[in-house]
């Protein structure tokens, strides 16, 4: 069983690892069986915090929710406990998705490695999208925003949370690049920023930043 410190080291390895699709999938699958317990023992609270917050913006428990980068289903579990009945998940790692499927909380699960393509997801279908930890070095880039906007219907909400430090340390995000892409889409009338929040997700080094957008 991975200790919280060992889990942290594995996450660092993921962030510093390969950009190749198959190698990244393999790295995530290597931690699939221990991820949930390690997250619990480390006191990782981002899934609970963000799921509860989403429930304030989308109170309808029959709403269609997409858990983007769902991994083993940590956020999906929280949404399910809050009473959401129609949760879909998307992730690049097959073994992580198998763990998520075994929880029997998702309506549908999609295995896809996002690199800017149009996904096999319905347009204007989801009432909300949640992405926890999808942005990290070698992780998602701003090109996912347009696809998120396509799949979430007007009036719907997108909650995107990741480590605040990555806005400074990640070359794809720093110097205002990531937030600049968000603002450009707002200027284009695609979405509007509702709120930006910072919170600590269980450990001091896990200071998170959360962006909440509404689709226009």
């Amino acid at each position: 069983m991975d200790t919280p410190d060992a889990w942290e080291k594995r996450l660092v390895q993921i962030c510093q690892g390969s950009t190749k699709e198959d190698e990244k999938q393999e790295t995530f699958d290597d931690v699939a069986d221990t991820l949930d317990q390690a997250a619990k023992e480390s006191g990782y609270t981002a899934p609970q915090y963000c799921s509860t917050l989403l429930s304030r913006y989308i109170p309808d428990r029959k709403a269609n929710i997409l858990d983007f980068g769902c991994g083993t289903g940590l956020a999906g579990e929280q949404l399910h406990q809050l009473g959401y009945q129609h949760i879909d998940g998307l992730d690049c790692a097959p073994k992580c998705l198998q763990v998520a499927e075994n929880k029997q909380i998702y309506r549908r699960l999609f295995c896809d490695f996002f690199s800017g393509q149009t996904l096999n997801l319905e347009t204007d279908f989801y009432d909300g999208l949640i992405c926890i930890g999808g942005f990290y070095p070698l992780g998602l880039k701003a090109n996912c925003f347009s696809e998120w906007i396509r799949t979430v219907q007007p009036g719907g909400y997108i909650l995107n949370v990741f480590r605040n430090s990555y806005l400074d340390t990640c070359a794809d995000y720093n110097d205002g690049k990531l937030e600049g892409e968000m603002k450009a889409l707002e200027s284009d009338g695609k979405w509007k920023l509702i709120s930006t929040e910072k919170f600590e997700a269980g450990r001091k080094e896990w200071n998170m930043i959360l962006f909440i957008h509404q689709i226009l």
Side-chain angles (χ1 to χ4, degrees), residues 50-51 54-55 57-68 70 75-76 78-80 83-90 105-110 121 125-131 151-153 156-159:
C50 295
S51 298
L54 181 141
S55 71
Y57 286 94
I58 308 175
D60 182 5
R61 271 27 181 194
K62 293 184 178 180
N64 293 307
I65 307 297
L66 178 61
D67 184 2
F68 198 97
C70 63
Q78 299 301 316
L79 291 168
H80 180 73
Y84 287 95
Q85 303 171 30
H86 306 307
I87 312 166
D88 293 343
L90 182 144
I105 56 177
Y106 289 98
R107 173 181 54 188
R108 299 181 297 178
L109 287 167
F110 302 95
L121 299 171
F125 180 76
Y126 293 102
D127 300 285
L129 181 151
I130 188 168
C131 181
T151 59
V152 178
Q153 63 178 297
Y157 292 90
I158 293 175
L159 278 69

Side-chain angles (χ1 to χ4, degrees), residues 2-213:
D2 281 351
T3 64
D5 286 340
W7 183 46
E8 175 71 12
K9 289 179 181 178
R10 288 200 181 202
L11 292 179
V12 170
Q13 290 174 349
I14 290 170
C15 292
Q16 297 176 345
S18 174
T19 58
K20 294 181 180 179
E21 179 177 337
D22 57 343
E23 293 179 7
K24 187 175 288 290
Q25 289 173 331
E26 183 178 347
T27 303
F28 278 112
D29 279 343
D30 282 346
V31 301
D33 290 334
T34 60
L35 183 59
D36 286 15
Q37 186 62 30
K40 181 179 179 180
E41 291 181 0
S42 66
Y44 183 56
T45 59
Q48 297 95 316
Y49 184 92
C50 295
S51 298
T52 299
L53 190 58
L54 181 141
S55 71
R56 298 174 188 167
Y57 286 94
I58 308 175
D60 182 5
R61 271 27 181 194
K62 293 184 178 180
N64 293 307
I65 307 297
L66 178 61
D67 184 2
F68 198 97
C70 63
T72 57
L74 291 171
E77 282 187 285
Q78 299 301 316
L79 291 168
H80 180 73
Q81 290 178 16
L82 288 169
Y84 287 95
Q85 303 171 30
H86 306 307
I87 312 166
D88 293 343
L90 182 144
D91 199 84
C92 71
K95 193 171 180 180
C96 287
L97 286 171
Q98 184 60 59
V99 174
E101 183 177 18
N102 291 341
K103 295 176 180 179
Q104 299 183 336
I105 56 177
Y106 289 98
R107 173 181 54 188
R108 299 181 297 178
L109 287 167
F110 302 95
C111 187
D112 216 325
F113 186 95
F114 183 77
S115 58
Q117 78 277 24
T118 298
L119 296 166
N120 187 28
L121 299 171
E122 299 95 325
T123 298
D124 294 343
F125 180 76
Y126 293 102
D127 300 285
L129 181 151
I130 188 168
C131 181
I132 300 177
F135 281 80
Y136 58 90
L138 307 180
L140 290 172
K141 297 178 176 59
N143 60 1
C144 72
F145 294 150
S146 60
E147 189 65 0
W148 288 359
I149 291 168
R150 180 186 68 82
T151 59
V152 178
Q153 63 178 297
Y157 292 90
I158 293 175
L159 278 69
N160 180 27
V161 63
F162 52 90
R163 292 195 193 190
N164 186 46
S165 62
Y166 291 155
L167 287 174
D168 296 319
T169 61
C170 182
D172 290 317
Y173 314 150
N174 64 11
D175 296 327
K177 288 193 285 289
L178 188 66
E179 291 173 282
E181 294 286 351
M182 295 179 188
K183 292 175 182 176
L185 288 166
E186 186 164 13
S187 296
D188 288 342
K190 302 298 184 181
W191 64 8
K192 65 178 178 180
L193 181 65
I194 300 298
S195 177
T196 302
E197 300 186 23
K198 295 179 181 179
F199 65 97
E200 188 176 298
R203 299 181 71 179
K204 195 170 185 178
E205 63 269 33
W206 296 344
N207 291 313
M208 314 296 282
I209 187 164
L210 168 66
F211 296 92
I212 304 174
H213 287 89

